[in-house]
Amino acid sequence: MMQPRQQGEPTIEQGGNDMQHAKHLRRLAAGTAMAVMGLSGSAVAQNSADGGFLLEEIIVTAQKRVQNLQDVPVAISVVTGDQLEQANINSAEQLFQRVPTITFRKGNTNKDSAISIRGVGTISFASGVEPSVSTVIDGVVYARAGQQTADFLDLERVEVLRGPQGSIFGKNASAGVVNITTRSPSSTPKGFAEASYYEGNEYRLKAGVSGPLSDKLSGLVTGFFSHFDGNGKNVFNGHDVNGYERYGARMKLVLDATENVTFTAIADYAKGNDNGYADSIGTVFPGAYQDQIFKPSLAPLTPGAKNKDIDNDLDPKTRDKNSGVSLQADIDLGTAAITSITAYRHWYNYQQRDGDFRSDAPLYVATGAAASDVRSHDRGDLSFDQFTQELRIASTGQNFIDYVAGVYYYTTKEVDFFNRTVTACTATTLAAVNGLLPCRAGASTFTTNEGNADFTTKLKNYAAFGQATVNFTDDFRAILGGRYTEDKVSFDFARRSTSTAAFPGVRPAFTATGTTKQDGISGNAGLQYDFADDIIGYATYTRGYKGPALNVFFNMIGTDTLPISEETSNAYEAGLKTRFPEAGLMLNLAAFKTVYDGYQANNLELVAGQVVTRLTNAGSVSTRGLEADFTWAASRDLEFNGGVSYTKARIDKFKCPTTNPTCADAINGKPLPFSAKWKGSVTADWRLPVDLPNGDLNLSNTVQFTSKQGFDINQNPNAVQSGYSTWDAVLAWTSDDDKYRLSLIAKNITDKQYVILRIPNGTAFMRQITPRDSERYFGASARVNF
């Protein structure tokens, strides 16, 4: 979706990259190893001289070289920064609205969030495991999924590489890669300011300046501030929940030191203060405790599928600080190019949560049917640091053999603290009521216990990688790549407890240390053939690898010190990439099958009456399906783009925990969590036939569909979201000179309610997390470019 405008010099909205980096494109050619230099990611459909839509090429860096999307033998979805901004898509959490193969698992805090691609992703509370979907921003791998939950800022484009990427990216990319490129400085002084407001007191402010600072140095600075009250209430104190307040800035400097040497320095900082996502209560199951204690004490809150409110005496809270610096050097050697990326990142996260989900617990003696009636409060924080260094060389121009090769070093350290405080009613002088012993101050005895844990997890990774494309003819080529990886993970852990026995949700004191080390080989091979100038077919095999893990979490015990084995995969993909310029159509198709062994996943279990999660090698799983991405410039005033996917992600052979050795009968052959069978998204962008003297009026409509999906690997039938569709629309006026833009935005017009997570709390009730976009709301945005 592009806003129609007259051809001319690029605006800061595009990053000014077309002119600024034309020189780099000429210098380094299409095969350069510049992973992320902010090269112009041409929109899916560009505009003709009269403002209409035309089919144009899409430039990507998905294989760490500048290439046309249609030439890359990988299934890739591309969304431009303009498209995301105009649709009010502001974070990775909302990407599924434009990229059907993505699912975002939102936890109570950003620490517990994760992305899945083709139904596969790592979901864990443990600090010693990495995600299966790698997030890469400007060439820098983000080691934890929680690091990439900050608001999007200054994006040029988002490339979603589907399936294992074993050679080029390798690190934590066993299910796919979200490769993000931010905008680069413009060749002339430019700036912009933008303000948006939406129902629910949500507002966003952004501003930036860009341009040359000298003959050789150019720069860009952009800042943002956003606020949302929230879509729910805490009935205990009237406070808003599920809202946020965030701000941050990004700076990028590009220095053309010589004709052949370019340096790019990037610094960014973002801070977030969230009051959610809260555990709202959905289904409450029948039972003495639930009927006589839990449900009545929630009043005036009413549990149910549409409930967004909570009744907590401890408000949910998350605090995040993300910052980082990177330096990229690109050296043109003539027949090859060298790229070095050095980066450091820091992430701090604080979270607090009411674990009993009520404001007046405990009401009854914690024995028998009332065993869950305790007050439980959780607080924790983490400090995470990572350093990465990548050095690679790539051929330039067109050769019989085009190649990219390099080495990679990666080290992380996470320091965690977690506290759980539990108060229980242990005795009472009051008489039983319906078989339950009530508690009341002055007549009952209350006991408080707490557990505190300090734990540190370290990871080191060394890798060497390479990939070559052999051009046998102009139309026929072979691809061969490989990566050697060495991982070492270590931890130390100490939990202190005021009780020598387990109490609700807390095990006794425990200390441990441990280390695991593993070498791994991953790679890919494939064939590619050009059936015609605009019809390309490919078939590939990829060996995926994800390193070993350690199950380091608050409630770990002796059996958790054993390492979690590596996760490997065998992936097969065949695809067809086509363009029909005369019809204005681009259509890309892919069929895939991937089998994972040693799949790393969470399993739920009860600890002293409360649900906890345990990381495990869950066994063998597989995912297979068909995908299509398309763009159709139907006329100079009308364009369609979108995609559809059919994915069958299944648990083939589940490895049951010792606490439930017969669980496989209920799990084998069942869907993986967060794996909808059908997903699709279609956007229609229409320049309205309205004669305006100073600009164009554009109407964009997006319809997104997701079929039924479950959230529990144990296949709890209540932890399921039924299929749903949403409809968004944007009506935008853009001035002829592209200086001004005014937009009216409608989200979820049909007011379709849905959740992005349901969590079974034993056999008592279901908790659920409801996103911002699960209700209808309206907004407006104004932008000025100068």
Side-chain angles (χ1 to χ4, degrees), residues 37-334:
M37 281 293 291
L39 292 164
S40 173
S42 302
V44 174
Q46 292 280 27
N47 306 296
S48 66
D50 64 357
F53 295 111
L54 289 177
L55 194 66
E56 293 284 340
E57 70 175 15
I58 305 170
I59 300 300
V60 297
T61 53
Q63 295 195 320
K64 302 197 175 183
R65 10 179 355 105
V66 179
Q67 293 176 289
N68 185 325
L69 171 67
Q70 298 304 98
D71 294 334
V72 182
V74 176
I76 307 173
S77 298
V78 180
V79 189
T80 69
D82 289 340
Q83 291 173 328
L84 297 173
E85 288 175 356
Q86 294 166 24
N88 193 32
I89 294 175
N90 302 294
S91 68
E93 177 185 336
Q94 300 169 296
L95 268 179
F96 76 93
Q97 297 176 13
R98 289 302 179 94
V99 182
T101 51
I102 273 188
T103 301
F104 190 87
R105 190 267 197 197
K106 182 71 173 181
N108 297 113
T109 78
N110 295 332
K111 177 178 73 72
D112 306 325
S113 300
I115 293 176
S116 298
I117 293 180
R118 291 177 172 173
V120 177
T122 298
I123 302 166
S124 176
F125 302 112
S127 63
V129 63
E130 296 182 282
S132 297
V133 176
S134 181
T135 299
V136 181
I137 302 181
D138 288 335
V140 178
V141 174
Y142 281 43
R144 291 289 186 267
Q147 292 176 280
Q148 45 81 33
T149 54
D151 282 18
F152 287 152
L153 182 63
D154 251 349
L155 298 196
E156 178 70 29
R157 67 185 177 274
V158 177
E159 306 166 13
V160 179
L161 288 68
R162 310 192 291 266
Q165 308 297 318
S167 297
I168 299 298
F169 287 95
K171 193 60 192 162
N172 59 30
S174 59
V177 174
V178 178
N179 186 36
I180 297 175
T181 302
T182 65
R183 292 166 179 150
S184 283
S186 56
S187 60
T188 58
K190 295 182 182 297
F192 80 94
E194 183 175 305
S196 305
Y197 183 82
Y198 305 90
E199 285 185 287
N201 198 31
E202 178 184 15
Y203 53 87
R204 298 179 176 276
L205 304 173
K206 288 191 289 187
V209 292
S210 178
L213 302 174
S214 69
D215 290 343
K216 294 186 176 182
L217 180 66
S218 58
L220 178 151
V221 178
T222 307
F224 77 94
F225 179 87
S226 59
H227 171 92
F228 175 46
D229 283 351
N231 63 4
K233 288 284 186 182
N234 186 351
V235 300
F236 171 70
N237 51 25
H239 293 171
D240 295 312
V241 295
N242 294 342
Y244 57 80
E245 187 168 282
R246 302 166 186 163
Y247 58 87
R250 174 181 292 272
M251 179 186 71
K252 182 181 286 191
L253 296 174
V254 177
L255 174 65
D256 292 312
T258 70
E259 182 64 22
N260 300 317
V261 179
T262 299
F263 294 99
T264 302
I266 303 173
D268 65 89
Y269 174 86
K271 183 176 181 179
N273 299 306
D274 296 7
N275 57 9
Y277 275 96
D279 275 309
S280 59
I281 306 302
T283 304
V284 179
F285 306 116
Y289 165 72
Q290 296 93 301
D291 295 338
Q292 299 179 42
I293 303 174
F294 189 78
K295 288 174 67 175
S297 70
L298 290 175
L301 182 152
T302 302
K306 295 185 178 182
N307 175 44
K308 301 185 184 72
D309 298 333
I310 62 174
D311 175 26
N312 292 174
D313 57 319
L314 180 66
D315 280 325
K317 183 184 296 184
T318 300
R319 301 286 182 263
D320 281 285
K321 292 180 183 179
N322 270 291
S323 59
V325 292
S326 67
L327 178 64
Q328 176 169 328
D330 292 282
I331 305 172
D332 178 20
L333 302 177

Side-chain angles (χ1 to χ4, degrees), residues 538-595:
Y538 68 91
T540 60
Y541 163 77
T542 302
R543 171 71 171 180
Y545 169 83
K546 179 168 173 280
L550 291 168
N551 191 23
V552 186
F553 70 115
F554 170 66
N555 260 314
M556 71 181 299
I557 55 176
T559 55
D560 296 312
T561 63
L562 301 175
I564 307 297
S565 300
E566 70 276 12
E567 177 183 289
T568 61
S569 59
N570 293 291
Y572 307 87
E573 181 173 304
L576 198 64
K577 297 195 171 187
T578 68
R579 295 175 80 250
F580 304 95
E582 293 184 359
L585 177 65
M586 181 178 72
L587 175 64
N588 294 338
L589 305 172
F592 65 92
K593 177 182 178 181
T594 307
V595 178

Side-chain angles (χ1 to χ4, degrees), residues 498-535:
T498 58
S499 173
T500 57
F503 56 93
V506 183
R507 289 178 166 128
F510 177 74
T511 60
T513 61
T515 300
T516 183
K517 184 177 179 181
Q518 182 69 46
D519 300 335
I521 299 292
S522 55
N524 63 301
L527 298 173
Q528 186 175 355
Y529 184 74
D530 302 349
F531 296 99
D533 288 342
D534 292 307
I535 302 178

